[in-house]
């Protein structure tokens, strides 16, 4: 019998590469499509080495309608996971049109081609950014979405809405939006992980680059927030756990177990961790001292957000499993590998 096949757009990226590994481990065929605008072919090599499979890789831009049409003609997908998108919050504020064009066009191309070719199942990479600054913690999927604070966040809300409306209009389509909290860490093999270009914008790559001596000092953005230690609180989810949530979502769709044709799930641990706690944990687990200083607040930062993952636990049968310490050890192992420190 033919194995189900999943198209992973953005499959050379951080979350896409880890998800491809987990899909293959779960018995799926995968085709990766990526324009390599914020990723490297080395990630595809890493995925091939971990899985021992010659996973097809197609270099294309999902905004290129003709190339996407050829891709949909060439392969027989049962489902699509759409990761391909730009994701830097600050850059999106500076270049909003580029973000709207890229993130919306690519998503609409995927959904339209799925409709045109009768492919029913799509998983969309959404973000907890859609909740803005929440009034209550932890956030559930019923917590209100707040007006987006950046064009990037707005594209996540808009793509969710595009999916909701399209699924409502087309009874043959099913969509799942996974709202990720803060993905961190790397694959235990040390062969794939996050590959930030230039100065990292996110906390953990900045921490690991500081520990490796690439950056001089981590700036902790604010210690005067109304939280127990004054620094912001997030829900840090291991990237392999996050990858497995996609496998659970795809299984649910392919097995016909969706309760609604459009569903939303929070993908987080349910545990809030402050920036200073994370820094201390990183130092302890990896036996090193990190050079850091308290700096001013970063504009647009949310004070605190963590997930109520109950719906994903119960409906997807998915749980965050990897302890934070292991995740932080994997992040450092990956950085040492990148920096040639081993
Ligand atoms: C942001 C976005 C999220 C997006 C993610 C990926 C918002 C509210 N969140 O997450 O949707 O998916 O980026 O790019 O738009 N920090 C420091 N020093 C640093 C870097 C970060 O102290 O050098 C702090 C931040 O102030 C924050 C925490 O670390 O409190 C996490 O920051 P970051 O990793 O950038 O993620 P978010 O801002 O939560």
């Amino acid at each position: 019998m033919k194995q189900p096949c999943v198209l992973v757009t953005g499959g050379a990226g951080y979350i896409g590469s880890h998800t491809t590994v987990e899909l293959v481990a779960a018995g799926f065929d995968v085709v990766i499509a990526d324009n390599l605008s914020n990723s490297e072919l080395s990630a595809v090599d890493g995925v091939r080495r971990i899985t021992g499979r010659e996973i097809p890789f197609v270099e294309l831009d999902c905004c290129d309608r003709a190339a996407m049409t050829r891709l949909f003609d060439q392969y027989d997908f049962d489902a699509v996971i759409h990761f391909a998108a730009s994701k830097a919050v600050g850059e999106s504020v500076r270049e909003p049109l580029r973000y709207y064009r890229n993130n919306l066009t690519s998503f609409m191309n995927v959904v339209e081609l799925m409709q045109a070719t009768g492919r029913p199942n799509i998983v969309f990479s959404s973000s907890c950014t859609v909740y803005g600054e929440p009034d209550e913690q932890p956030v559930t999927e019923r917590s209100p979405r707040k007006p987006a604070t950046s064009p990037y966040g707005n594209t996540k809300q808009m793509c969710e809405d595009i999916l909701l409306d399209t699924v409502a209009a087309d009874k043959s389509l099913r969509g799942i939006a996974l709202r990720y909290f803060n993905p961190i860490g790397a694959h235990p093999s040390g062969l794939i992980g996050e590959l930030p270009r230039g100065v990292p914008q996110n906390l953990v790559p900045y921490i690991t680059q500081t520990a490796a001596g690439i950056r001089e000092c981590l700036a902790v953005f604010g210690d005067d927030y109304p939280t127990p230690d004054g620094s912001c609180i997030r829900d840090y989810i291991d990237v392999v756990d996050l990858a497995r949530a996609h496998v659970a979502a795809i299984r649910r769709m392919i097995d016909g177990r969706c309760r609604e044709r459009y569903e939303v799930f929070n993908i987080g641990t349910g545990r809030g961790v402050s920036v200073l706690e994370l820094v201390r944990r990183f130092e302890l687990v990896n036996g090193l001292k990190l050079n850091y200083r308290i700096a001013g607040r970063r504009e647009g930062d949310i004070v605190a957000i963590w997930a109520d993952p109950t719906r994903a636990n119960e409906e997807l049968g998915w749980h965050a499993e990897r302890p934070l310490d292991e995740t932080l050890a994997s992040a450092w192992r990956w950085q040492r590998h990148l920096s040639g420190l081993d």
Side-chain angles (χ1 to χ4, degrees):
M1 209 178 77
K2 177 188 160 296
Q3 312 198 83
C5 180
V6 182
L7 169 64
V8 178
T9 73
Y14 175 43
I15 307 171
S17 56
H18 289 79
T19 299
T20 301
V21 168
E22 297 307 313
L23 285 166
V24 171
F28 292 93
D29 282 338
V30 177
V31 176
I32 295 176
D34 201 302
N35 67 358
L36 302 178
S37 64
N38 192 29
S39 55
E40 308 280 341
L41 213 44
S42 62
V44 178
D45 288 339
V47 170
R48 287 176 175 157
R49 282 178 63 190
I50 294 167
T51 58
R53 296 266 292 275
E54 240 346 90
I55 295 154
F57 167 72
V58 183
E59 184 173 343
L60 63 69
D61 189 327
C62 294
C63 292
D64 180 342
R65 180 62 178 243
M68 286 293 278
T69 304
R70 286 195 297 277
L71 180 74
F72 274 73
D73 287 344
Q74 191 181 349
Y75 292 99
D76 194 12
F77 313 122
D78 299 283
V80 179
I81 307 180
H82 184 65
F83 291 105
S86 306
K87 61 152 198 170
V89 175
E91 188 180 63
S92 80
V93 174
R94 289 190 299 278
E95 299 177 69
L97 278 176
R98 186 155 78 78
Y99 269 67
Y100 287 118
R101 181 180 298 283
N102 187 36
N103 291 5
L104 299 182
T105 308
S106 58
F107 185 62
M108 288 192 289
N109 276 345
V110 168
V111 178
E112 278 180 348
L113 282 164
M114 289 179 63
Q115 277 193 305
T117 58
R119 267 87 163 203
N121 304 310
I122 179 160
V123 173
F124 172 64
S125 266
S126 192
S127 165
C128 68
T129 195
V130 301
Y131 296 115
E133 185 77 66
D135 297 324
E136 279 178 347
Q137 303 287 358
V139 290
T140 74
E141 293 80 355
R142 286 170 299 283
S143 300
R145 288 190 337 186
K146 297 280 184 66
T149 52
S150 70
Y152 157 78
N154 210 10
T155 66
K156 291 295 174 195
Q157 295 192 345
M158 290 165 95
C159 286
E160 284 193 356
D161 291 343
I162 289 167
L163 190 55
L164 171 69
D165 291 344
T166 310
V167 164
D170 180 345
K171 303 279 178 281
S172 67
L173 267 184
R174 274 183 296 271
I176 291 182
L178 299 181
R179 291 177 177 162
Y180 314 152
F181 283 68
N182 286 57
I184 62 165
H187 195 265
S189 66
L191 291 172
I192 53 172
E194 196 166 2
L195 284 171
R197 287 197 173 161
V199 181
Q201 305 299 308
N202 295 115
L203 179 60
V204 169
Y206 208 106
I207 289 177
T208 60
Q209 289 198 7
T210 306
I214 302 169
R215 310 282 155 208
E216 214 170 287
C217 181
L218 168 77
V220 172
F221 297 141
D223 71 346
D224 55 355
Y225 284 103
T227 60
D229 66 18
S231 64
C232 294
I233 295 176
R234 297 287 184 274
D235 184 334
Y236 294 95
I237 172 80
D238 182 88
V239 69
V240 176
D241 279 337
L242 172 59
R244 290 185 181 147
H246 295 79
V247 177
I250 291 287
R251 277 244 164 87
R252 180 178 176 86
M253 291 177 137
I254 288 182
D255 296 350
R257 286 187 281 111
C258 297
R259 281 182 200 270
E260 316 270 345
R261 286 189 300 103
Y262 174 71
E263 297 180 316
V264 176
F265 296 98
N266 282 345
I267 305 298
T269 65
R271 187 184 56 232
V273 174
S274 77
V275 174
L276 288 170
E277 276 173 334
L278 197 82
V279 167
R280 295 206 180 99
R281 213 63 233 166
F282 181 86
E283 291 183 320
L284 195 73
V285 166
N286 295 308
L288 45 79
K289 276 309 259 182
L290 197 72
N291 197 16
Y292 72 90
R293 66 185 170 87
I294 307 298
R297 294 180 176 192
R298 182 171 70 176
E299 206 187 327
D301 257 339
I302 283 162
V303 180
I305 185 165
W306 65 93
D308 177 343
T310 306
R311 186 187 284 181
N313 299 160
E314 291 178 354
E315 297 280 324
L316 293 178
W318 169 90
H319 291 84
E321 285 172 6
R322 205 175 186 193
L324 180 62
D325 287 1
E326 259 179 50
T327 305
L328 292 174
S330 76
W332 179 226
R333 190 180 320 123
W334 170 242
Q335 182 65 57
R336 288 202 315 271
H337 165 80
L338 286 179
S339 300
L341 294 176
D342 284 330

